[in-house]
Amino acid sequence: MRIGGFQKLSLLDYPGKLSAIVFTIGCNFRCPFCYVPHLVLPEVIKKSGEVPVNYVLSYLEKRRNLIDAVVITGGEPTIHNDLPVFIRKLKSMGFLVALETNGSNFGMLRQLIDDKLIDYVEIDIKAPLTFEKYNRAVGNVLTPKIFENVKSSVNLLLKSSIDYEFRTTLVKELHTKDDILEICRSIRGARRYYLQNLKRTGFFVGGKELTSFNEEEIMEILNEGRKIVNVIYRE
Ligand code: SF4
């Protein structure tokens, strides 16, 4: 597994727990609004440093009584075949493990849940679950197989007893209010659906300027969306 970043402490990223965050390198999507090009685009990755896996494990080993959880994000962690091995090591140290994923590796996600290797899952739902819209939102790299995987991952969480959240980043160029309401309908019954507005933080993977939603538009989405599912706005 390749690690491109390691945050030693977070109070926010695992609900109610002190966590450390591991950022894996590489992703199979190219979401235009993605703000971590140094973890996604090969030409930018080349110029960025890596954090040795052993360094991360030995740091965590020494802090096992101080930190409750490890959040694994990216990039896309599930493109790494040895992710389960890494997580097993974290579990053997007694950590709770949260996985942030784009849902494209359904087989690995199901196995991790079945093997009780993860305790919390966050899946990004990039757009309504129709091929064309989803493909646009992930930078036109979607294949029918990956799309089926994403839908299967969403359905798996809806039926699973594992704790999870769905979330969407609101981008004017990719979403309308109706798109978000369509997502709400497709995850009816979900425990939590977080909406977050596009944030400007350096440059995006798509290399283009993008637009966030205004307050009034967000309020409208929240008012209507909350009639369908438990929508929460994340600042
Ligand atoms: S936002 Fe998209 S491109 Fe960026 S890491 Fe997540 S899935 Fe990959």
Side-chain angles (χ1 to χ4, degrees):
M1 207 172 77
R2 294 176 68 197
I3 298 177
F6 179 46
Q7 186 176 323
K8 292 173 177 169
L9 189 63
S10 166
L11 305 177
L12 301 173
D13 287 77
Y14 193 112
K17 303 286 178 193
L18 282 182
S19 61
I21 311 176
V22 172
F23 298 85
T24 61
I25 288 177
C27 185
N28 50 351
F29 285 176
R30 293 290 181 272
C31 311
F33 55 88
C34 177
Y35 58 86
V36 289
H38 59 289
L39 297 171
V40 171
L41 300 174
E43 63 274 21
V44 188
I45 291 171
K46 256 192 263 163
K47 295 181 204 147
S48 317
E50 287 196 30
V51 185
V53 174
N54 283 342
Y55 168 79
V56 171
L57 289 171
S58 79
Y59 179 90
L60 290 170
E61 171 77 53
K62 286 182 210 134
R63 307 300 188 288
R64 60 205 284 180
N65 295 323
L66 301 171
I67 297 169
D68 308 306
V70 179
V71 177
I72 305 174
T73 182
E76 173 49 40
T78 66
I79 64 168
H80 299 275
N81 291 333
D82 52 352
L83 177 69
V85 176
F86 179 74
I87 296 179
R88 270 184 203 283
K89 289 181 182 151
L90 299 178
K91 296 305 281 179
S92 73
M93 294 180 209
F95 292 110
L96 293 165
V97 174
L99 176 67
E100 292 187 14
T101 175
N102 61 26
S104 62
N105 192 340
F106 169 66
M108 187 185 285
L109 178 63
R110 186 178 50 189
Q111 198 62 52
L112 289 170
I113 292 174
D114 286 352
D115 293 347
K116 302 202 179 336
L117 288 177
I118 48 179
D119 305 279
Y120 195 84
V121 184
E122 300 170 39
I123 290 194
D124 263 9
I125 301 184
K126 313 284 186 186
L129 293 162
T130 55
F131 188 87
E132 206 176 295
K133 286 183 178 173
Y134 220 87
N135 189 28
R136 203 157 67 93
V138 301
N140 299 308
V141 295
L142 198 64
T143 63
K145 170 132 186 32
I146 291 179
F147 186 48
E148 284 312 306
N149 274 347
V150 171
K151 289 192 287 183
S152 299
S153 296
V154 169
N155 287 330
L156 176 68
L157 291 195
L158 283 171
K159 289 186 207 133
S160 166
S161 59
I162 193 168
D163 208 3
Y164 68 87
E165 67 183 51
F166 296 123
R167 65 180 178 203
T168 298
T169 300
L170 298 168
V171 183
K172 268 294 187 55
E173 285 75 6
L174 296 174
H175 309 121
T176 63
K177 178 182 84 175
D178 286 342
D179 286 334
I180 303 302
L181 296 178
E182 194 179 327
I183 297 174
C184 289
R185 284 189 287 275
S186 64
I187 55 166
R188 210 184 278 272
R191 293 186 195 171
R192 298 173 207 93
Y193 176 39
Y194 284 97
L195 291 179
Q196 55 197 34
N197 211 356
L198 178 79
K199 282 199 181 83
R200 173 139 287 297
T201 51
F203 79 96
F204 297 122
V205 160
K208 292 201 181 119
E209 284 295 317
L210 294 168
T211 320
S212 51
F213 278 60
N214 67 36
E215 218 170 278
E216 202 178 309
E217 291 163 335
I218 291 172
M219 286 314 295
E220 244 184 78
I221 292 173
L222 292 176
N223 282 337
E224 294 188 40
R226 282 174 178 157
K227 293 176 189 155
I228 306 168
V229 71
N230 179 24
V231 187
I232 303 161
Y233 184 62
R234 187 176 265 156
E235 294 289 339

